Amino acid sequence: MALPSTPPALSDSIVDEILRRLPPEEPACLVRSSLVCKPWHLLLSEPTFPRRYRELHCTPPVLGFLYNKCFVPTTTFDPPLFPPAFDCFSWVALDCRHGRVLLHPMNPTCLVIWDPITNEKHFLPQVPDEPCNHLTAAVLCAANDCNHMNCHGGPFLVVFGCTADEDVMGDASVTWMSVYSSETEGWSVPTWIHLGPISRSQDVMGPSLLIGNMLYFLLEDGRRILKYDLGGHHLLVMNTPPLPMGNMALVKAEDGGLEVAGVEGYNLRLWSWRGAAGWVQGKVIELDMMLSMDIGDPSTKLLVVGFSDGANTIFMCK
């Protein structure tokens, strides 16, 4: 009886195609594959492999988030990622986008850009000397026609915003925003808008959402939305849809427009902005059919805590 013949070895091009299709949400697969044999290690070590891998999968996965100065992985891969230490009491992460993290040490005029891959830090010059009671900020790539697959080392912008009490009684307020450019290494002249009476809140200005050339921020725990035009440097205030205050997030719609996601009971409701038509309710997702939780327990409450506009992912907690 003839013994079965040894199957022919796969060519490097076929193995490369197989390796490029490993799931990006589990980077540990690439590390393990590089240990299989020397030819595989050489293929994965080629300088062009990361670019071709990103081009195939397009949308980058969410590998984790910063919480209480620690990196919390959302996959089985736990990279040795350690946020930088500062000579101050504490710091917070204000924003993360296009491969950069914007950190705010507990100094009202200090902002730091941190690259978690290279561990490089870029200290920004002092922000404009204007009234500031509550602040927020956003970081974004400033390169022309960039696909944001590899923004390391390129130009960037930081949009810094503050809400300040306008009078001693605090029954009215103003908001101003200024933009820092890594190319000019300076801040723009602040743009101001009068908000009128505001609801006193611990979180007056929330995180940002980038859509095209517009940045959106939640105001007063979701009572209003602040819209900032990066091109014209204009500020505009919008109302929010009828959702519970403090339990919503700005998200990007499937068509690229603005949406607000909020939870009512055990339902995730999405409202879309339709210009002159205002807010229109869209999808309603029954979360109790998707998540494992005791819906009979009155203490069980779902909260929307954030959105990753690069990966179109809504973060929730209970």
Side-chain angles (χ1 to χ4, degrees), residues 127-133 160-164 174-178 187-188 190-193 205 226 235:
V127 301
D129 185 16
E130 303 289 352
C132 184
N133 299 114
F160 182 82
C162 270
T163 296
V174 292
T175 288
W176 60 270
M177 286 197 166
S178 180
W187 292 93
S188 67
T191 300
W192 294 76
I193 187 172
M205 301 182 74
L226 185 68
L235 283 169

Side-chain angles (χ1 to χ4, degrees), residues 75-225:
T75 71
T76 58
F77 183 59
D78 188 0
L81 188 63
F82 302 103
F86 297 101
D87 186 18
C88 62
F89 174 72
S90 185
W91 58 264
V92 295
L94 291 178
D95 195 33
C96 180
R97 185 181 289 109
H98 302 156
R100 300 177 180 89
V101 182
L102 178 60
L103 303 177
H104 174 51
M106 289 309 175
N107 179 325
T109 63
C110 182
L111 293 172
V112 180
I113 295 294
W114 172 51
D115 187 324
I117 304 301
T118 64
N119 204 33
E120 294 179 357
K121 297 185 291 293
H122 184 106
F123 288 81
L124 272 61
Q126 182 173 319
V127 301
D129 185 16
E130 303 289 352
C132 184
N133 299 114
H134 308 276
L135 63 88
T136 190
V139 58
L140 57 146
C141 172
N144 293 327
D145 302 322
C146 183
N147 59 9
H148 308 307
M149 294 294 181
N150 186 13
C151 298
H152 299 289
F156 63 87
L157 300 175
V158 172
V159 180
F160 182 82
C162 270
T163 296
D165 295 337
E166 192 177 43
D167 54 42
V168 178
M169 299 301 294
D171 59 357
S173 68
V174 292
T175 288
W176 60 270
M177 286 197 166
S178 180
V179 180
Y180 172 83
S181 169
S182 65
E183 295 178 297
T184 63
E185 299 184 346
W187 292 93
S188 67
V189 176
T191 300
W192 294 76
I193 187 172
H194 189 280
L195 295 179
I198 67 170
S199 174
R200 312 312 298 172
S201 169
Q202 182 180 2
D203 191 13
V204 173
M205 301 182 74
S208 64
L209 174 70
L210 176 65
I211 298 181
N213 210 33
M214 302 292 178
L215 270 174
Y216 298 87
F217 301 84
L218 277 177
L219 288 174
E220 307 167 80
D221 280 344
R223 290 172 175 83
R224 289 184 286 184
I225 296 173

